[in-house]
Structure formats: C-alpha cells, structure tokens
C-alpha cells in the first residue's frame, strides 16, 4: 500500500519566494514551487554525505598534486576542479573565519602549519624509501 502524503504549509518572505522562483527558472523542467522546495530539501538532507565525498576527492587530488604523482591527463582537469572548489569554499571560509575569535584563529593556523610540516616529512621519507628501493634494484 502506497504511503499517503501529508499537506505541509509554510509562510515565507517575498525575498525567499523570489530566490525559489529564480532557482526554478534555472532548472530544465521548471518545477512547481512545491517540487522545487522538495528537491532543495532533499539536497540539503543529503549534503553531509555528498560534502564528505567531495572533500575526500579534493583531498586526494591535492595529495596527488602535492606529491607530483598526478596520473597523465588528470592535471588539467584537476587544476580547474580545484580552482572551482577553492572559489566556492573561500567565500564560505571568509564568512566563518571572520566570526572566529583571535585565539581560535591562531590555533587553526598553528594546526594547519603542523599538518603541512608532517605531510612534507612523510613525502620526504617516501622519496627516500623510493630512492633506496631503486638503488637496491640497481645493485642486484
């Protein structure tokens, strides 16, 4: 038996309604306002999982870029993707950053510097291991 849908009503400002209508106009099928709100709500509910996947992919791209181990043909696409990601998220970071107190900002900067230092150490160790592996092969 199919679940019965329930009526849901809400009051919104004219500005909010205009934003919804503008979003609707950018859709290929121009959904109704109710369908537009349904779609946007579904995206919002799914956002944490999608955000995690996107951040993981971006981290992998940055790691490949940093270690210079980007597969052939990936570099051009990854550069444009990373630039787009940075543009979108830099605006969000600026807003969030401005709201932080100076002590928290200093702690974040210190932690980021510590992580970058650890990544460099790991990369250098990895390169030393590779160099050692190649020299061992040459001796045999």
């Amino acid at each position: 038996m199919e679940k019965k849908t329930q009526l849901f009503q809400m009051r919104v400002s004219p500005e909010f309604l205009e934003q919804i209508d503008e979003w609707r106009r950018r859709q290929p099928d121009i959904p109704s306002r109710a369908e537009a709100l349904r779609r946007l709500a579904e995206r919002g509910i799914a956002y944490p999982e999608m955000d995690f996947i996107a951040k993981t992919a971006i981290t992998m791209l940055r790691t490949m870029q940093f270690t210079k181990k980007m597969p052939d043909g990936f570099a051009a696409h990854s550069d444009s993707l990373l630039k787009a990601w940075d543009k979108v998220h830099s605006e969000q970071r600026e807003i969030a950053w401005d709201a932080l107190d100076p002590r928290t900002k200093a702690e974040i900067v210190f932690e980021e510097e510590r992580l970058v230092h650890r990544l460099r150490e790991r990369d250098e160790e990895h390169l030393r291991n590779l160099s050692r592996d190649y020299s061992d092969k040459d001796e045999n």
Side-chain angles (χ1 to χ4, degrees):
M1 186 164 114
E2 192 174 322
K3 281 190 174 181
K4 195 175 185 181
T5 61
Q6 295 183 3
L7 176 64
F8 173 76
Q9 295 178 337
M10 61 188 268
R11 292 185 184 275
V12 297
S13 69
E15 295 81 15
F16 180 81
L17 214 48
E18 182 53 40
Q19 287 178 321
I20 297 299
D21 289 341
E22 187 173 316
W23 184 87
R24 290 173 52 226
R25 286 190 288 274
R26 291 192 311 264
Q27 305 312 300
D29 60 344
I30 307 179
S32 67
R33 285 178 173 167
E35 178 60 22
L37 287 169
R38 242 187 315 277
R39 291 179 191 178
L40 290 166
E42 286 172 355
R43 286 183 184 183
I45 291 167
Y47 178 79
E49 291 83 14
M50 296 306 294
D51 189 53
F52 173 76
I53 291 167
K55 285 179 180 175
T56 302
I58 292 297
T59 301
M60 290 171 67
L61 283 174
R62 287 198 195 288
T63 302
M64 287 187 285
Q65 191 178 50
F66 178 75
T67 59
K68 297 183 178 19
K69 294 181 175 43
M70 189 70 68
D72 292 338
F74 243 66
H77 298 294
S78 66
D79 285 346
S80 59
L81 180 63
L82 290 171
K83 285 178 186 173
W85 174 270
D86 288 343
K87 182 177 186 239
V88 167
H89 288 82
S90 67
E91 294 165 1
Q92 293 173 354
R93 281 194 301 268
E94 283 178 26
I95 293 167
W97 184 258
D98 290 343
L100 296 175
D101 64 278
R103 181 177 178 200
T104 304
K105 288 179 182 179
E107 289 172 358
I108 290 170
V109 168
F110 176 77
E111 182 64 18
E112 286 177 347
E113 288 172 350
R114 191 177 70 77
L115 290 172
V116 166
H117 181 71
R118 282 180 48 205
L119 279 173
R120 285 190 179 131
E121 285 177 343
R122 286 182 189 169
D123 191 45
E124 288 170 4
E125 181 181 344
H126 180 70
L127 291 173
R128 281 192 301 273
N129 289 338
L130 285 175
S131 177
R132 192 174 325 126
D133 290 346
Y134 284 118
S135 65
D136 290 346
K137 286 180 184 177
D138 289 341
E139 290 175 6
N140 293 332

